[in-house]
Amino acid sequence: MKYLLILLCLTAAIGLKAQDLNLPYKIYDVRKQKEISADEIIADMKNVNVLFFGEEHNDSVGHDLEAKILEKLNKTYPQQVALSMEMFHTDVQPVMNEYLANVISEKNFIKEARAWDNYQDYRPLIEYAKFNKLQVVAANAAARYSNAVTKGGLIVLKDFPKTSLNFLPPLPVDTASGRYYQKFTALLGGHNMGTMKVYQTQNFWDATMAWSISRFINANKGIKVFHINGRFHSDEKLGTLAKLHQYSPKIKILNISAFSDQDFEKADWSRFSNLGDYIIITNPIVKRSY
């Protein structure tokens, strides 16, 4: 019987190891310089206020992992977690609240909250928050404001009526220089006046999301925020993350950069170590297998 129990334990351990190896993602802790599990990120959140998840918007494995992380956070820190999302705008916060309160239909929510075309990727997050009575912050700036900035620059925001200021970060919004600007111009292919106005729009999005998170944390002491945005907004702890530090210098933030990688089987973590506290690479050949 003793040997049978040992054999069963070894078999279970081997099975768990094989299961881990078959996951369609790998997580690397930059500070510890080793691969870890999602549970270790959750444990690290004990004394942290905000966890950024910088995603690629078309990464289905990444979307599934976001939902798993939200669930794990809520189970570890029950009723101490809120979700914040780039994918919804500040002016639809009442619509978001109405849907979470289950007083409007999902059809109305999708239409009137102007959900993204790939809303099905984010639906599990919203439904989990709704079922578990978690708050969701509609964090980003509406298109009418960002379009105005792209056309006329950040200075145009001062011309909006006072009623609009409820949905906008404090003015003036500054434009980040240095590394973030270098990355942005490299992405768009060089410096020109059009690029600068688009870059001001990028900074406007960053400021709006950061302000939304900061305002929420100030109003909800002790709540941990799980914020999801495109990873350019938070990679290298720039963009939205840097602006959040400006609004709330004392809060503690951890940052995930997640993306699919063709070298998934033989990850070279040194290539990504500057991107965040945790790097998640997903298997590009896997499409929602779990």
Side-chain angles (χ1 to χ4, degrees):
M1 177 64 73
K2 176 180 178 182
Y3 294 111
L4 178 59
L5 288 173
I6 293 173
L7 180 61
L8 288 172
C9 290
L10 287 172
T11 302
I14 293 170
L16 286 172
K17 184 66 174 177
Q19 185 180 33
D20 289 343
L21 290 173
N22 288 328
L23 288 173
Y25 61 85
K26 296 177 181 179
I27 307 174
Y28 183 76
D29 187 316
V30 172
R31 296 166 299 173
K32 297 176 182 176
Q33 297 186 8
K34 67 175 186 178
E35 292 187 29
I36 62 170
S37 68
D39 288 333
E40 291 176 76
I41 297 178
I42 306 306
D44 288 345
M45 284 295 295
K46 182 178 181 180
N47 297 311
V48 174
N49 306 103
V50 183
L51 176 62
F52 274 74
F53 192 110
E55 65 163 34
E56 290 184 337
H57 297 320
N58 61 351
D59 182 1
S60 60
V61 175
H63 291 311
D64 287 340
L65 187 53
E66 289 165 350
K68 286 185 177 294
I69 288 176
L70 178 63
E71 180 180 357
K72 286 176 179 291
L73 280 169
N74 187 51
K75 287 183 176 179
T76 305
Y77 311 101
Q79 301 307 310
Q80 299 176 48
V81 176
L83 176 64
S84 174
M85 302 181 72
E86 173 192 359
M87 299 78 200
F88 293 95
H89 302 140
T90 54
D91 65 331
V92 302
Q93 188 68 60
V95 182
M96 176 69 74
N97 294 344
E98 288 164 2
Y99 182 65
L100 296 175
N102 201 32
V103 294
I104 64 172
S105 70
E106 183 178 29
K107 181 178 180 181
N108 283 129
F109 167 68
I110 290 172
K111 178 180 179 181
E112 296 182 38
R114 305 191 299 273
W116 284 14
D117 290 342
N118 66 330
Y119 175 67
Q120 288 303 311
D121 290 326
Y122 303 105
R123 185 176 185 271
L125 291 161
I126 298 297
E127 292 302 313
Y128 182 85
K130 180 182 179 184
F131 183 80
N132 289 277
K133 302 187 185 308
L134 305 182
Q135 297 182 77
V136 179
V137 180
N140 205 3
R144 62 185 181 274
Y145 303 129
S146 56
N147 289 343
V149 172
T150 302
K151 183 178 179 180
L154 285 165
I155 194 171
V156 76
L157 295 173
K158 68 178 180 60
D159 296 330
F160 277 88
K162 290 184 177 179
T163 51
S164 302
L165 300 183
N166 294 325
F167 310 121
L168 302 176
L171 304 179
V173 174
D174 67 318
T175 303
S177 58
R179 173 61 181 158
Y180 196 51
Y181 181 59
Q182 293 167 3
K183 286 178 61 179
F184 191 84
T185 53
L187 182 68
L188 266 65
H191 305 257
N192 58 61
M193 186 58 68
T195 297
M196 177 51 75
K197 287 186 177 180
V198 176
Y199 182 59
Q200 289 191 6
T201 305
Q202 178 82 6
N203 281 256
F204 174 54
W205 287 330
D206 291 330
T208 306
M209 287 189 281
W211 167 71
S212 297
I213 298 168
S214 177
R215 183 173 61 166
F216 179 86
I217 287 176
N218 289 338
N220 297 271
K221 301 296 184 182
I223 300 294
K224 300 178 186 299
V225 175
F226 181 41
H227 177 71
I228 297 172
N229 56 217
R231 70 186 186 95
F232 193 94
H233 287 289
S234 49
D235 273 2
E236 301 184 40
K237 301 190 177 183
L238 301 171
T240 304
L241 196 154
K243 279 187 162 43
L244 178 54
H245 267 307
Q246 292 176 3
Y247 288 128
S248 299
K250 294 183 179 180
I251 68 172
K252 296 181 180 179
I253 305 171
L254 288 174
N255 184 34
I256 296 170
S257 181
F259 47 91
S260 64
D261 186 60
Q262 295 297 327
D263 296 325
F264 178 81
E265 297 299 335
K266 296 181 179 180
D268 179 5
W269 297 111
S270 64
R271 293 163 47 207
F272 314 125
S273 60
N274 64 320
L275 297 179
D277 298 297
Y278 312 100
I279 310 302
I280 298 177
I281 59 172
T282 63
N283 192 334
I285 67 172
V286 176
K287 301 295 181 184
R288 281 200 161 83
S289 63
Y290 67 108

